Amino acid sequence: MTNAGLLLAVATSVYFVSAIYSICISKWLPYTGIWVLDWVKDDTYYCLLLPILGPVMVYFVFFNWLGMKFFRTN
């Protein structure tokens, strides 16, 4: 596996674990004393917005790049 592939696999794994934690797991765990994790536990809006924002942003950036490539070659 190349370095770029390994970096992509690690970034995807970290993103998946943090998204699952913020959406599902944090609501059932007790308070930890770490302010960021407790903020995610108490929040009802941003804990859902931030995990969804990542894939949507990648989607729009890709199609922006694709549209630029189509515009340049026509």
Side-chain angles (χ1 to χ4, degrees):
M1 187 180 278
T2 64
N3 288 337
L6 184 61
L7 180 65
L8 184 63
V10 168
T12 303
S13 300
V14 168
Y15 184 78
F16 178 75
V17 168
S18 65
I20 292 299
Y21 176 79
S22 70
I23 293 172
C24 300
I25 298 173
S26 67
K27 306 305 180 205
W28 295 329
L29 291 178
Y31 287 98
T32 61
I34 302 170
W35 70 273
V36 174
L37 297 179
D38 291 341
W39 174 74
V40 169
K41 179 180 176 53
D42 291 335
D43 191 49
T44 57
Y45 178 72
Y46 287 106
C47 68
L48 300 175
L49 177 70
L50 294 178
I52 297 300
L53 186 65
V56 171
M57 185 175 63
V58 169
Y59 178 78
F60 281 113
V61 166
F62 171 73
F63 280 112
N64 185 22
W65 172 82
L66 186 65
M68 181 186 67
K69 290 296 181 183
F70 285 159
F71 180 73
R72 282 187 181 174
T73 59
N74 284 336

